[in-house]
Amino acid sequence: AWSGQACGAIIKASARYERDEIIYVGEPGAKNRGAYMQAYDVSLKKMVRGVTVTIQMAEDEGWLKKDGSKWKTMPDLMLAYRALAFFARVYLPNAMMGLRLPSEIEDME
């Protein structure tokens, strides 16, 4: 499994993307709080944007209900890690090789 940090490193190491950043949206502590990853695609010559991951999504998917869930104590960090993973999975699938984050594997149990 990849970590959220590893997904970020994969994106940064890719020659295809520049000016990558995590963008937070919504109000801290609210269900509409979210994050997405965006980066400039050098080959397409445009910014590309990943999926917006929100607290509402985390709640709907049951990520908040797990015992010891970091979603409860570090929501912005978890939003960023999931945003990085979703971006990498969509825009760098060859690098991700179908592997998931440990927290994604736990969510499927």
Side-chain angles (χ1 to χ4, degrees), residues 12-27:
K12 286 193 179 298
S14 171
R16 184 169 180 171
Y17 298 103
E18 297 177 346
R19 302 191 319 258
D20 56 285
E21 65 179 315
I22 300 288
I23 306 294
Y24 288 95
V25 297
E27 295 297 318

Side-chain angles (χ1 to χ4, degrees), residues 24-96:
Y24 288 95
V25 297
E27 295 297 318
K31 290 184 181 187
N32 73 340
R33 180 66 165 173
Y36 63 89
M37 167 76 189
Q38 72 177 16
Y40 182 77
D41 186 316
V42 175
S43 64
L44 296 177
K45 296 181 173 40
K46 69 176 188 174
M47 290 298 283
V48 292
R49 177 179 168 169
V51 173
T52 301
V53 181
T54 66
I55 296 298
Q56 182 67 59
M57 178 191 290
E59 187 175 290
D60 293 346
E61 293 294 322
W63 302 339
L64 295 171
K65 295 178 185 173
K66 302 277 184 183
D67 287 338
S69 172
K70 296 298 182 187
W71 283 95
K72 296 173 188 174
T73 57
M74 296 186 242
D76 279 356
L77 184 61
M78 296 304 292
L79 289 168
Y81 286 166
R82 286 292 170 104
L84 286 164
F86 285 172
F87 184 94
R89 193 165 293 114
V90 170
Y91 293 105
L92 291 164
N94 57 323
M96 293 297 293

